[in-house]
Amino acid sequence: MPFIGRSMTRREDRALVRGEARFTDDLGAADDVPIVDAVHMVVVRSTVAHARIVGVDATEALALPGTVAVVTGADLAGTVSPYPVVSRDGATLADAPVEVVATGTVRYVGEPVAAVLARSRATAEDAAELVVVDYEPLEPVASVDDARRRVAVVHDAAPDNVLVRWSHRSGDVDGAFRDARRVARCHLHIPRLVAAPIEVRACVAAHDAADDLVTLWASAQDPWRQSAQLAAVLRRPEASIRVVVPEVGGAFGSKGSLVPEYALAAWCAIHHRVAVRWFEDRSENFLAAYQGRGMQADVELALGDGGRFLALRADIAADIGAYLYPNTPNVAVTTAMLMTGCYDIAAAEVRVEGLATTKVPTGPYRGAGRPEAAFFVERVVDVAARATGLDPVEIRRRNLVAPGAFPHDNGLGHRYDSGNYPAALDEACRLLGYDALRAEQRDARASGRLLGVGIASYVERAAPGGWESAEALLAPGGRVVVRVGSSPHGQGHETTFAQVAADALGVAPDAIDVRHGDSSAGPPGVGTYGSRSVTLGGSAVLQACEGLLARATVAAATLCGVDPADLDYRDGRWSRRDRPDEGVGLADVAAAALDAGAPMRADARFTIASPVFSFGTYGAAVEIDPETGRVEILRIAAVDDAGVVVNPLLAEGQVVGSSVQGVGASLYEEVVHDADGQPVSGSFVSYGIPSAPDVAFELETALLCTPSPLNPLGAKGIGEAGSIGVPAAVDNAVVDALAPFGVEHVDPPYSPERIWGLVAGRPDARAGG
């Protein structure tokens, strides 16, 4: 029985549940991390959203016993370069990269203004309080509307406050809208969200002057982007930088780009000749880690006879924040390029502007553009269903891309590789009990109950980044060491990649050791994000192991004195066909290779021509208490097609986890700033995330399989599915429940206050932002 497709428990969990796993703040001498004489770094952060820095006085801080240094932007001048920001998919970008430390102007509350180095964390915190920063206030730009009105210019390089601009048009859009029977329109808003990983950001930086090697141990999603970006910022060859990623307690996209604090710690290690430790507290994470979402859109859908979708137009405005991280532009552009969703729409015109505001920058957060696109598209589809009098499921069924129409060009620059969208829709309706719920809803409304049913289909661009690499090494005793460029932060790579390697080599997964996370001890890679690891990293592992087996078979034939074609291979052992009782095993081949001084190994770099496209349909049933406005989720159906799934148990875990985050985005989570740009939701006291009682609903899941033709595993991605499908499905269900009150739309989060206001007839409760 093959191991690919088999549910297996995670092998990495033993160390985690026993408390043996090593996270960044656990590292010490036993891990070869020089922390004995390390200093602690604490960052002095801006207390205002927009101001000129008149001066920084560190006199009292430096006088405090135990303080080693205070570093300001002036100290870094001429020694660091701007963050590398590269345009992708034709986006036009303004020159507004992230700064390591603010110089001249601060542009969000929490922006680093200085850093204190001290012998203890407590001393560093006390000294940071003594650093006096003199600000000359400037007008804050607290919203997208403020940015468009140009109440202030955030960057001279962007006098219109537009940092990202992208547009695309295909087909006769104007003609389709001119001839349309009806036009469905929506103005939609998604708030900013905090990623809120269990482990906040942390690093240790050291510089070996003898070898001129900078080593950064960091909580990050991979060592490779950190290494490349750190080299660019510090103006050093990448070969002079080593990045090690130990266990990581979650990231959800928020640890993809190099953060300024990591670069600052490395700079301090070099220039002050001391190892530097930095770990933030939860308040700092709320203030300074880049956030997700934060978009609004005006969407129009032209409808023909029978509810046929003729054309789509969308104008998207993204709240970019104060600067561009390397991965900031990707989110808004990804949203724009998926605005036709799962539907066969002949003409489309989409424009996106990423606007500068005086807030912490945005970046990828689980889904990274796909939840936004699904929300915008699926809301306008429900509005179209209501306008035409069609059932929401029926109007979708009439417009989905047909199973025989793949590969499908979506009109916005993507080619969908494979799919069976109607099958996912039908299965979601079955799991949800759609027809029975509609019947129940009719009875409920007659008795005054507010029951709502929502459906949302999605398509996800997965496996961006183009390539990944792996190495397979035959170790003593016949074990196989697989080194991968993909570095996990909770996904279960060690289990999944071992299953792929086991099938390729004909051995059990227990015979495979999977290693990752050190830029100096493995093949180069890109990293773990965008649901890419199995598709790209898994394919690289497969090819490396196939290459190793081919080389090992030649060596086995030499040991047996026969031609490779005269050997049979099974369960890690070759036997001669003419004498089946004679043969050699992997251990014999490994020993012979080591005796010859040339360990048996094979490398592979897997490259994909274009992304793959996962898809699915989610359904939700909710009930609203009209007395309190509380939304209760009764049931969620999650149907996902990620092609060939290596480990269904782990895939289902990803669906469950991402679905819970989708519920948080729907009901609880919203980053709020006041008119001065001050964050109001700066801790878990004022920013809600779901707890166990909040997710006590029925969750029915199903995995379908439409293999991708673009990789040898036939795999796609599934790590972000629930965060894409749940918010749109829940929103459609909430609006459906409120239909008796004439509500056509309400922006998330669906707090009791907001929903109660709608029930009470307050139209101002509908909009967010």
Side-chain angles (χ1 to χ4, degrees), residues 269-362:
I270 296 168
H271 291 270
H272 290 276
R273 300 178 183 179
V274 64
V276 178
R277 297 181 67 185
W278 176 75
F279 55 95
E280 67 181 353
D281 57 30
R282 183 62 63 179
S283 295
E284 285 183 288
N285 187 264
F286 270 91
L287 278 178
Y290 59 77
Q291 298 171 353
R293 313 292 190 260
M295 287 192 199
Q296 65 186 43
D298 292 291
V299 187
E300 297 180 298
L301 185 62
L303 304 166
D305 292 335
R308 177 67 184 153
F309 299 167
L310 303 178
L312 178 138
R313 276 198 297 238
D315 186 351
I316 301 169
D319 181 351
I320 291 294
Y323 301 98
L324 295 175
Y325 275 93
N327 55 11
T328 297
N330 303 348
V331 180
V333 175
T334 296
T335 301
M337 295 182 71
L338 289 173
M339 281 300 294
T340 52
C342 295
Y343 305 106
D344 185 7
I345 302 176
E349 181 179 15
V350 178
R351 182 171 72 102
V352 62
E353 288 183 342
L355 291 136
T357 58
T358 50
K359 301 176 187 175
V360 64
T362 53

Side-chain angles (χ1 to χ4, degrees), residues 597-677:
M600 185 75 63
R601 52 170 284 175
D603 302 307
R605 173 175 167 137
F606 176 73
T607 302
I608 198 168
S610 61
V612 297
F613 290 86
S614 309
F615 62 92
T617 298
Y618 278 60
V622 307
E623 185 163 358
I624 295 173
D625 183 342
E627 299 297 323
T628 65
R630 180 177 180 271
V631 177
E632 180 185 2
I633 297 177
L634 305 176
R635 188 182 311 160
I636 287 177
V639 177
D640 299 288
D641 192 319
V644 174
V645 172
V646 174
N647 189 319
L649 178 65
L650 270 61
E652 185 175 12
Q654 292 288 339
V655 170
V656 172
S658 60
S659 293
V660 170
Q661 285 186 283
V663 168
S666 298
L667 300 187
Y668 307 106
E669 300 185 46
E670 180 179 24
V671 175
V672 178
H673 291 77
D674 66 17
D676 294 324

Side-chain angles (χ1 to χ4, degrees), residues 447-537:
S447 61
R449 289 174 55 208
L450 303 181
L451 182 66
V453 184
I455 289 288
S457 295
Y458 78 89
V459 61
E460 175 189 2
R461 182 209 65 180
W467 66 276
E468 201 58 74
S469 63
E471 170 192 286
L473 172 70
L474 192 55
R479 295 190 64 80
V480 176
V481 176
V482 173
R483 293 189 173 93
V484 291
S486 297
S487 177
H489 43 280
Q491 291 84 356
H493 287 11
E494 293 178 25
T495 303
T496 304
F497 289 160
Q499 290 178 249
V500 172
D503 271 1
L505 294 168
V507 297
D510 288 346
I512 310 295
D513 296 323
V514 178
R515 298 177 185 172
H516 51 77
D518 189 336
S519 65
S520 69
V526 178
T528 299
Y529 65 94
S531 297
R532 68 191 304 275
S533 294
V534 170
T535 301
L536 298 177

